[in-house]
Amino acid sequence: MPFPKDFLWGGATAANQIEGAYREGGKGLSTADVMTVGGPGVKRRKTIPLEPDTYYPSHAAIDHYHRYKEDIELFAGMGWNCYRLSISWPRIFPHGDESEPNPQGLAFYDALIDDIVAHGMQPLVTISHFETPLALQKYGFWENRQLVDFYTRYAEVLFRHFKGRVKLWLTFNEINCMSTQPWVSAGIDSEDEQVRMTAAYHQFLASAKAVRLAHAIDPENRVGMMYAGHFAYPNSCDPDDVIGTMDFMHKMMFYCDVQCRGYYPAYKLREMERQGVTLPRQPGDEEILRSGTVDFVSYSYYLTHVTGKKTKGILKGLNGLDTGYKNPYIPKSDWGWGIDPQGLRYSLNYLYDRYQLPVMVVENGLGAQDRVEADGSIHDPYRIDYLRAHIAEMKKAVELDGVPVMGYTAWGPIDLIALSTGQMSKRYGFIYVDMDENGAGTLRRIKKDSYYWYKKVIASNGEDLD
């Protein structure tokens, strides 16, 4: 059978990668606002305080804050019925710990969400997408349990303010990045596993409390967790490679286990015991986790890994983890990420088999360098080929495997600043934005060939992939 009639088609963005206007409307600084631009062989730096004459990509981004009407019109032109966006926490609570929200921040998202709904799209809102208020540094960010209360207050404001307009929510973006990039996940700048696991524990509590609030405020709310899609194949049938792969997946999947099942899996408890890591439990926490499990699983999918006996403890980077192995059977993108469409079908089955919850692909796309032709056109057949192959495998997961896939929101439907490097040259969009690595350009929006292709895919509910 084909995709269901209510299948959600659209795209996904993050506030800190598109909005800009980093100090307008009463917005406070976030952990994203202190990250400089990087590039080939140049890592992004975080600088506190901000350095004069240094380029910070999030400060202006692609100016969606002032151009959202044009952008939403372009999104709607592809026929979307869903748009995954994030709300900037410091735009609502500039310092993170205020007792009352910033009315200017709420007014901006009122206008934005009303426009999304008016164009026939269902908003899917990520409450925290790699953007913790920088002022919460005085508490130690997520290492401090007080952030559970600050986040819960923020989430409750959103649930009440947008009741009836937003019914789909994600609590934390790629929550398992606590183990790979804890600064973007939680403002944590430490290699200490005790610190990271303490911060993760607090985010689990915050997520569970948010789920309970969402359901209490509006029974129609559905709240999901969001996993950074790390999936691995064993390097060989050597039992040591198989066990190494199991260990790798345990390091990633325990995040999903806690949010979907409501308790820490035995394998993680034993691992922390061996490491001397203790959870900062308080009375009532177990009930909070058990009663705050999510309604669905969402995740990003860009690549798969090969893992094995060499992989122990190697957890570096955001998506291109150094696992000690390469996959000779799949091609790579310009940024060295393996392209594995069949891995998407595998991952959908893996998650559904594990949790028996609806699944949604909320990020998938190809970062590539695009060229504007003399006539102003942009031909991106490589992006179309990538997306076609992945959607075809997602279709197999639905038709052949019976996985209840809720929807698909392609990542970076409009060119935006890349999280990993802060660059603009790593373009994902169906819509080109005239801006260079240093933020210079007209910001003019131009439709690529992939824009028209995706419009056709959606109009056919995934049947026409040619």
Side-chain angles (χ1 to χ4, degrees):
M1 60 184 292
F3 289 114
K5 290 182 180 179
D6 61 352
F7 193 81
L8 299 173
W9 292 102
T13 66
N16 65 85
Q17 292 172 265
I18 64 166
E19 281 183 7
Y22 84 114
R23 297 313 301 264
E24 291 187 44
K27 179 185 173 296
L29 288 173
S30 81
T31 48
D33 292 327
V34 297
M35 295 184 70
T36 65
V37 70
V42 179
K43 291 185 177 181
R44 302 189 73 179
R45 296 182 299 120
K46 51 185 175 296
T47 63
I48 305 171
L50 296 173
E51 297 175 349
D53 303 319
T54 296
Y55 176 53
Y56 297 90
S58 71
H59 290 191
I62 61 165
D63 198 32
H64 178 72
Y65 185 85
H66 298 109
R67 297 167 181 260
Y68 72 86
K69 283 187 175 293
E70 177 187 1
D71 293 342
I72 298 303
E73 187 76 28
L74 286 165
F75 297 165
M78 282 180 270
W80 294 8
N81 59 8
C82 180
Y83 172 34
R84 180 192 169 210
L85 68 151
S86 75
I87 287 179
S88 170
W89 184 353
R91 205 176 281 288
I92 305 301
F93 286 95
H95 295 97
D97 61 354
E98 295 92 341
S99 59
E100 297 295 330
N102 169 29
Q104 293 179 82
L106 288 174
F108 169 70
Y109 289 111
D110 274 331
L112 174 58
I113 287 174
D114 285 350
D115 200 42
I116 293 165
V117 173
H119 280 86
M121 290 180 271
Q122 185 169 177
L124 167 59
V125 171
T126 310
I127 298 170
S128 178
H129 192 134
F130 291 166
E131 197 166 18
T132 306
L134 191 67
L136 295 179
Q137 185 180 31
K138 66 186 176 186
Y139 297 94
F141 291 118
W142 279 99
E143 191 180 359
N144 190 319
R145 191 181 175 105
Q146 283 183 269
L147 264 75
V148 176
D149 294 332
F150 298 149
Y151 174 94
T152 304
R153 179 187 301 156
Y154 161 53
E156 182 173 4
V157 165
L158 300 186
F159 297 146
R160 294 194 185 281
H161 191 84
F162 297 106
K163 181 179 179 180
R165 290 181 286 171
V166 180
K167 297 180 182 179
L168 292 174
W169 304 88
L170 303 176
T171 53
F172 290 94
N173 181 67
E174 295 186 329
I175 192 167
N176 52 311
C177 283
M178 188 72 77
S179 288
T180 57
Q181 280 207 337
W183 173 261
V184 297
S185 285
I188 297 299
D189 192 13
S190 174
E191 298 289 329
D192 189 309
E193 193 67 3
Q194 177 66 62
V195 173
R196 293 185 181 195
M197 289 302 98
T198 296
Y201 183 74
H202 291 152
Q203 288 196 346
F204 291 143
L205 287 174
S207 176
K209 286 190 168 188
V211 171
R212 300 198 311 181
L213 272 172
H215 290 161
I217 291 168
D218 186 350
E220 293 189 14
N221 277 332
R222 286 193 292 167
V223 188
M225 61 94 36
M226 203 291 205
Y227 172 68
H230 293 301
F231 301 93
Y233 306 129
N235 181 57
S236 74
C237 54
D238 179 344
D240 285 340
D241 281 340
V242 175
I243 294 299
T245 299
M246 180 187 76
D247 289 341
F248 171 82
M249 289 306 296
H250 278 173
K251 289 181 187 299
M252 294 288 106
M253 294 309 302
F254 99 89
Y255 289 91
C256 300
D257 289 350
V258 175
Q259 292 190 283
C260 294
R261 295 173 175 166
Y263 56 88
Y264 274 72
Y267 65 79
K268 188 63 182 180
L269 293 174
R270 285 297 174 88
E271 179 191 54
M272 291 189 295
E273 194 177 285
R274 292 192 299 272
Q275 295 172 329
V277 172
T278 57
L279 296 177
R281 291 191 178 102
Q282 291 186 12
D285 285 359
E286 287 190 14
E287 171 55 25
I288 292 170
L289 293 178
R290 285 185 181 275
S291 60
T293 55
V294 295
D295 302 309
F296 64 95
V297 180
S298 77
Y299 70 111
S300 57
Y301 180 84
Y302 297 100
L303 48 77
T304 49
H305 305 291
V306 177
T307 51
K309 55 191 173 186
K310 295 180 185 177
T311 305
K312 290 183 179 180
I314 302 178
L315 288 172
K316 299 175 182 176
L318 181 63
N319 284 297
L321 295 187
D322 177 9
T323 66
Y325 304 91
K326 304 293 183 186
N327 191 333
Y329 299 101
I330 59 175
K332 290 181 172 54
S333 74
D334 292 344
W335 270 262
W337 293 8
I339 299 174
D340 180 17
Q342 287 177 288
L344 179 55
R345 178 184 176 188
Y346 170 78
S347 65
L348 284 164
N349 276 272
Y350 184 94
L351 290 172
Y352 182 60
D353 288 349
R354 193 175 183 102
Y355 302 114
Q356 297 293 296
L357 290 171
V359 187
M360 185 169 181
V361 181
V362 293
E363 288 186 28
N364 176 234
L366 176 69
Q369 297 188 40
D370 298 323
R371 185 178 70 181
V372 182
E373 303 294 342
D375 63 359
S377 61
I378 301 169
H379 307 303
D380 56 344
Y382 38 84
R383 183 169 291 108
I384 293 171
D385 289 345
Y386 177 99
L387 294 168
R388 176 192 293 119
H390 284 77
I391 293 172
E393 292 297 327
M394 178 172 65
K395 196 165 185 281
K396 290 177 186 176
V398 173
E399 291 186 336
L400 302 182
D401 309 326
V403 178
V405 184
M406 293 169 55
Y408 176 88
T409 53
W411 174 252
I414 184 169
D415 291 346
L416 40 67
I417 59 172
L419 172 70
S420 54
T421 63
Q423 294 176 283
M424 275 298 291
S425 58
K426 188 180 185 183
R427 298 177 181 271
Y428 284 87
F430 303 114
I431 302 158
Y432 184 91
V433 177
D434 178 29
M435 192 175 100
D436 68 16
E437 305 290 56
N438 299 307
T442 66
L443 294 176
R444 179 186 171 206
R445 275 64 165 152
I446 307 169
K447 299 173 184 176
K448 305 176 190 178
D449 287 355
S450 56
Y451 180 98
Y452 303 100
W453 174 83
Y454 194 45
K455 179 177 182 177
K456 183 174 63 171
V457 170
I458 294 172
S460 67
N461 198 27
E463 292 300 304
D464 186 356
L465 299 179
D466 293 333

